[in-house]
Amino acid sequence: MRRVLAIARLTFAEGVRMRIVLVFLVVLVFLVLRMPFALRGDDTLTGRLQNFLAYSLGALSALLSLATVFFSCATLTNEIKERSLHLVVTKPVARFQILVGKWLGVNLLNVLIVVLAGGAIYGFARFIAARPEQFERDRLQVRDVVWTARVASKPVVPLAEIDEQVTKEIQERLRSGGLDKSGEAAARHARITELLSQWRTIEPGGYRFYQFKNLTAPEREDTVLQIRYKARGLPLPPGENVRIGWVIHDPVTGVPLAQRETDEHSSDLHQFLVRAGPVVRNGELVLQVVNPYPPQVNTSVYFEGEDSLQVLYKVGSFEVNFSKALGMIMCQLLLLSAVGLFFGVFVSFPVACLCTSAFYVICLLLPFVMESIGANMEVIMPGTDPYGAWGPSVRAFLVPFLRAAFPDFVRYNGAQYLVDGEYISLGVLGACSAHTVLYGGLLLLLPGWLIFQRREVAEVTV
């Protein structure tokens, strides 16, 4: 262990002296110091804070990732090129210890920078959040929408009622001979899907109640909840805006407590705030969604997708969420340093940088790559399949390979969670760690060590 730590200390000192790393650090310091005063957003306190968190953490992640790519690729390839590694491998130091020591050294520097930069970003974020607001609603948004950690509650789906209705219909069709036993499963699935779609649809002039459960009790009387929705007009009304009426009822008495009407663009994500104190009772909220269009207009309101209607409520603190976001950045750096050292074992510095940078870019663009090959499409027509007739076979191999080999850095973007005030769950953090730290460690310590072990750097002489 002493040998590993000795190599880690030398690598850390090498990173402090490396000019390209210092250049990235200077740029990072300049941006972090400049952003709190340069970014205005929509000139609201909420907009300024969200913009600062997004751009400052984005700059920290991007610049430190690039610095890690160059540093991790250089630390081993330069020593091999300059033959200084000969002095190490001829001593009683295993090559496994060299790789682990280099990895630790690179990331000791990363940890130091992430802690210092994270502390500065948090300090400036508190500075912005404490600025005078233009109106009270802006202050509530900062406190309960951004400077918090919230989870999204979905309406309770009446699965038992739907299943009971479908079962009766299927049995009746089987008795009447309108359905064969072999097609029962497909017919059940199709009917359940149809009823769920009807449950998310409000006909012209109609309304539907949606119930949300297990909400936490509001901390203050003026605490606000955020209702977030994405609705589509069927067919699309003139102007492409969808009008919706919202009425919140007392879960116990059914008395209306608050109401409003929205008129927003169809199929876009929208949100509005309501005071939680009067409307949440015993962890429940009852929301009535009204379609104000008269029957002659024939425009239905449709909530597309499972996440199309949500209530966001607080479950944690901003500080803990901020620490998790920094941890997700650190996980990405641990992976990139492992990939850089892996390529540095058997190729030159320029090639190692190219390969590691390509890996980094693919991880950033993975959602777009998956969309381009049709991985997220349920049905692809042969005429539009990017791979033609071979499409299903190609995707059966390519999609699992891409998801396993390249972590989705967009999904593991902690800054986006902070901007939206969403809680970073232990599940997301664990998945990020497993797909970055564990994957990078295995890549470095198994194939990387095997290649390094067989590479002739210097002969041991006695």
Side-chain angles (χ1 to χ4, degrees):
M1 190 63 185
R2 291 197 305 270
R3 296 164 184 164
V4 172
L5 293 178
I7 295 174
R9 285 195 299 270
L10 291 173
T11 306
F12 178 87
E14 178 188 355
V16 172
R17 296 190 303 267
M18 188 171 290
R19 293 180 181 177
I20 192 167
V21 174
L22 292 177
V23 169
F24 282 117
L25 291 182
V26 169
V27 174
L28 177 61
V29 169
F30 172 78
L31 291 177
V32 171
L33 293 177
R34 177 62 179 158
M35 283 180 182
F37 310 99
L39 297 176
R40 306 300 303 179
D42 56 1
D43 282 330
T44 64
L45 199 59
T46 304
R48 286 188 61 188
L49 182 57
Q50 288 177 322
N51 269 307
F52 173 70
L53 289 172
Y55 285 105
S56 60
L57 288 173
L60 173 62
S61 177
L63 292 174
L64 207 48
S65 294
L66 293 175
T68 299
V69 169
F70 287 105
F71 182 22
S72 60
C73 292
T75 184
L76 197 58
T77 56
N78 286 349
E79 290 188 7
I80 294 175
K81 180 181 178 181
E82 297 169 1
R83 301 175 182 266
S84 58
L85 191 62
H86 294 187
L87 300 175
V88 179
V89 296
T90 53
K91 297 182 182 297
V93 180
R95 299 195 181 189
F96 175 84
Q97 294 174 323
I98 295 175
L99 284 179
V100 174
K102 292 284 186 184
W103 192 40
L104 287 177
V106 172
N107 290 293
L108 281 174
L109 182 59
N110 284 336
V111 168
L112 178 63
I113 297 171
V114 167
V115 170
L116 294 177
I121 291 172
Y122 175 75
F124 280 122
R126 285 198 69 93
F127 168 78
I128 294 173
R131 295 300 87 198
E133 73 281 359
Q134 296 182 2
F135 41 87
E136 180 61 22
R137 182 173 176 271
D138 196 15
R139 172 61 58 188
L140 293 176
Q141 279 192 309
V142 169
R143 190 190 69 190
D144 296 335
V145 176
V146 182
W147 203 268
T148 184
R150 308 172 301 164
V151 296
S153 174
K154 302 175 186 178
V156 179
V157 182
L159 291 177
E161 292 84 349
I162 291 176
D163 186 69
E164 182 180 356
Q165 178 180 343
V166 171
T167 300
K168 290 180 179 179
E169 293 179 2
I170 293 296
Q171 290 176 352
E172 179 62 30
R173 292 177 62 187
L174 288 172
R175 282 195 298 267
S176 64
L179 177 66
D180 187 75
K181 191 69 176 178
S182 61
E184 179 181 354
R188 172 179 291 274
H189 179 268
R191 183 55 177 158
I192 289 176
T193 302
E194 181 183 357
L195 291 177
L196 286 175
S197 178
Q198 292 177 6
W199 179 71
R200 297 192 182 98
T201 303
I202 299 96
E203 300 295 333
Y207 62 86
R208 192 176 298 278
F209 286 93
Y210 296 98
Q211 185 180 27
F212 299 84
K213 292 187 175 183
N214 301 320
L215 308 181
T216 58
E219 296 178 344
R220 307 176 183 86
E221 187 62 27
D222 63 345
T223 296
V224 295
L225 297 174
Q226 187 178 54
I227 295 179
R228 188 163 62 187
Y229 68 96
K230 182 166 65 173
R232 184 151 54 101
L234 298 175
L236 196 64
E240 300 186 357
N241 278 13
V242 179
R243 289 167 48 215
I244 305 176
W246 310 86
V247 183
I248 301 179
H249 292 256
D250 189 309
V252 179
T253 64
V255 176
L257 300 175
Q259 61 182 355
R260 66 175 297 166
E261 184 172 303
T262 57
D263 188 4
E264 304 289 354
H265 193 272
S266 176
S267 299
D268 288 345
L269 191 65
H270 305 285
Q271 55 271 323
F272 60 89
L273 302 178
V274 295
R275 290 191 180 271
V279 300
V280 176
R281 294 286 185 271
N282 300 321
E284 294 186 15
L285 182 146
V286 176
L287 180 64
Q288 180 187 14
V289 181
V290 180
N291 185 344
Y293 292 101
Q296 58 267 25
V297 176
N298 195 32
T299 294
S300 299
V301 175
Y302 173 60
F303 294 104
E304 44 186 344
E306 295 182 0
D307 300 329
S308 57
L309 182 60
Q310 300 174 328
V311 172
L312 286 85
Y313 61 97
K314 181 178 179 179
V315 294
S317 66
F318 174 84
E319 287 75 12
V320 174
N321 228 31
F322 184 78
S323 300
K324 291 178 180 178
L326 294 181
M328 294 174 77
I329 292 176
M330 194 62 223
C331 286
Q332 296 178 18
L333 299 177
L334 286 164
L335 171 62
L336 290 176
S337 60
V339 173
L341 285 168
F342 168 75
F343 284 112
V345 164
F346 59 95
V347 297
S348 63
F349 171 70
V351 178
C353 285
L354 178 62
C355 294
T356 310
S357 299
F359 177 89
Y360 175 54
V361 171
I362 293 174
C363 290
L364 288 176
L365 300 180
L366 188 62
F368 304 100
V369 174
M370 301 297 280
E371 184 179 356
S372 68
I373 64 176
N376 302 322
M377 299 178 64
E378 295 182 0
V379 180
I380 304 179
M381 301 302 294
T384 60
D385 196 316
Y387 298 102
W390 292 92
S393 301
V394 171
R395 274 185 295 278
F397 164 76
L398 194 58
V399 171
F401 169 76
L402 288 175
R403 286 178 175 162
F406 299 96
D408 186 353
F409 281 3
V410 175
R411 179 190 175 197
Y412 303 139
N413 180 14
Q416 190 57 50
Y417 285 89
L418 294 178
V419 169
D420 295 333
E422 292 189 20
Y423 176 71
I424 302 176
S425 67
L426 294 179
V428 172
L429 196 60
C432 176
S433 302
H435 208 175
T436 54
V437 181
L438 182 61
Y439 171 61
L442 291 175
L443 181 68
L444 178 65
L445 301 180
L446 290 179
W449 170 72
L450 289 174
I451 296 172
F452 193 35
Q453 186 73 11
R454 286 161 174 75
R455 178 169 182 178
E456 288 191 11
V457 177
E459 293 292 338
V460 178
T461 58
V462 182

